[in-house]
Structure formats: C-alpha cells, structure tokens
Amino acid sequence: MAREFFQTLPEIRGGELSDELTQVMKKVVGAVGNCNRPGSITLKIKFKPGSGGSIDISDEIKAVVPEFPRGSSLFFSTPENHLVRDNPRRNNLPGIRSIDNDTGEIKVLNHG
C-alpha cells in the first residue's frame, strides 16, 4: 500500500516542519485579511540519498507576508540642497493663511 504524502509530512523533523507551516500559515492568513493583499507560502522538500538505502529529507519554507503600503512625504530642495516642506520657489499670495494641524492655530503666511 502506498504511503500518502500527508502521512509523511508530520514526521519530517519530528513534526517541527508541520508546526512551522502552521505558524507561517497563521501569519500569512492574518496579514492577508488585515491588508487585503495577496500572500503565499512555498515549501521546498529536498531528497538526498543516504547510506544503506536511506533517504535524507530537508526542507525550506518561504513566505510572502503582505504589508500595508508605506506612505511618502513631499519635500522641496533649496538652492543649498536642504530639504524643506514649503516650496521655496513659490511666491506667497497675500492673505493666505495656514492652520497648524496640531494646535489649530491660524497663521498668516509671509508675503513673498
């Protein structure tokens, strides 16, 4: 009678492979659900002949765990090669005001 693949899998490395796959799967499934992006698990099993008719089995697990997209920030470069948040080449219009996001304070912008 042929032995099924899934009968052998729990015995590889004394059950450690199966335990690792379970943990990796939980991590990938959770991230896929949270990020709404795809993930994957790749299992590679290598078979190498040993002595006296034995077979040496090794494994490798690779996972693609999705992540939330990272944001970016917009900066402008000055003639001195410094980075600043406001465009130094822009002329300010009179009467333009800015609101501080942290304090709610209204600031009148300098006129160019």
Side-chain angles (χ1 to χ4, degrees), residues 7-83:
Q7 291 174 308
T8 305
L9 189 67
E11 296 180 13
I12 296 175
R13 289 192 290 119
E16 289 179 10
L17 172 60
S18 186
D19 292 343
E20 283 181 39
L21 284 169
T22 299
Q23 292 304 312
V24 169
M25 184 175 69
K26 288 172 62 176
K27 184 176 181 179
V28 171
V29 169
V32 167
N34 287 334
C35 299
N36 198 31
R37 299 179 78 149
S40 66
I41 299 172
T42 303
L43 171 62
K44 184 181 208 179
I45 300 176
K46 294 181 183 180
F47 302 89
K48 187 169 63 171
S51 60
S54 67
I55 306 274
D56 183 48
I57 299 174
S58 61
D59 63 84
E60 182 180 339
I61 301 170
K62 291 188 178 182
V64 175
V65 181
E67 297 179 357
F68 287 105
R70 297 178 62 96
S72 63
S73 298
L74 182 64
F75 286 84
F76 297 91
S77 62
T78 66
E80 299 82 22
N81 297 320
H82 297 282
L83 294 175

